[in-house]
Amino acid sequence: MTPDRPSASGADSAPRTGVLFVCLGNICRSPLAEGLFIHRARKRGVLDRFDVDSAGTGGWHAGEAADDRMRAVAESRGVVLPSRARQVRDEDWTRFHHVLCMDRDNLDRVRTMGAPEDRSSLFLSVLGDPRRVEVPDPYYGGPEGFELVWELADRAVESWLDRLAP
Ligand code: 4NP
C-alpha cells in the first residue's frame, strides 16, 4: 500500500486504470515494480491516470517496509519505495484492471484466490521474450538477484507505460 497513491477515481476525473503488482512477500519484487511505475508515470505526467499498488500472495510480512536490499538498489537510482506490505484481498480483483504477477507460482495463486484470467498476467509478458517470463525471487540470494530485479522491472515498467499510457 502506498500512502500517497491516487484514489481509484475522482469525482471530476475519468476512471483510473488500476495496476496491481504481485509477488510472494510484497517486500522485494512487487514494491520495486510499484515504486518504479509511480516514479516513471509521474515523470511522464500520467500518474493521475492510474491507481497503483502492490501486494503479496503471502501475508507474513504485512505492514513491513520494503526489504533494505531492494530499497538500496532503488534509492541508488533515485527511486523511493514507500509501500508497506499487504496481502492480496478479494476487492483487488474488481479494483485493478491489471494484476501483474512476478512469476508463474504467484499468477497461479492469484487465480486460485479469485483473480479473473483476463485481468491477471505475468509482469514480464509485456517484453515478449519467451526465455524470460519470470522475475526470480531475490530474497534468499545475493546482491546480484536484486540488481536483476531492477533490470527486468526497469524494462517492463517502460513497456507497460508505453502500452497503457501511449
Ligand atoms: P518477494 O520476496 O516475493 O519478492 O517479496 C520474498 C520475500 C520474503 C519471502 C519470500 C520471498 N519469505 O519467504 O519470507
Side-chain angles (χ1 to χ4, degrees):
M1 177 102 55
T2 305
D4 68 345
R5 74 172 191 277
S7 62
S9 64
D12 56 354
S13 59
R16 297 169 195 265
T17 300
V19 182
L20 180 70
F21 298 97
V22 176
C23 60
L24 179 59
N26 192 211
I27 55 171
C28 299
R29 293 165 290 176
S30 60
L32 187 274
E34 176 197 0
L36 244 178
F37 190 96
I38 290 170
H39 182 84
R40 297 277 167 76
R42 187 180 284 125
K43 278 201 160 176
R44 290 186 186 210
V46 297
L47 182 57
D48 62 353
R49 294 194 215 167
F50 293 102
D51 174 23
V52 188
D53 202 355
S54 67
T57 54
W60 318 282
H61 295 281
E64 292 179 20
D67 187 283
D68 287 346
R69 298 163 294 178
M70 196 75 263
R71 281 169 45 206
V73 166
E75 284 170 17
S76 74
R77 273 91 165 183
V79 176
V80 176
L81 306 184
S83 71
R84 293 272 164 181
R86 71 165 177 89
Q87 191 167 19
V88 294
R89 49 188 177 236
D90 286 347
E91 70 176 58
D92 290 333
W93 320 139
T94 48
R95 175 177 160 196
F96 296 102
H97 306 91
H98 302 277
V99 177
L100 304 179
C101 299
M102 296 295 139
D103 56 38
R104 289 191 193 89
D105 277 354
N106 284 296
L107 179 59
D108 289 346
R109 283 197 187 105
V110 297
R111 287 181 174 169
T112 301
M113 295 164 105
E117 286 205 15
D118 63 355
R119 288 189 169 217
S120 53
S121 59
L122 289 169
F123 174 50
L124 296 188
S125 63
V126 72
L127 298 178
D129 180 355
R131 294 162 306 173
R132 175 62 83 183
V133 295
E134 301 187 303
V135 182
D137 182 350
Y139 189 67
Y140 292 107
E144 67 285 351
F146 291 87
E147 290 291 336
L148 179 60
V149 174
W150 171 275
E151 283 169 30
L152 295 170
D154 186 21
R155 288 164 47 211
V157 159
E158 287 299 313
S159 295
W160 278 109
L161 279 167
D162 289 345
R163 182 181 290 188
L164 298 177

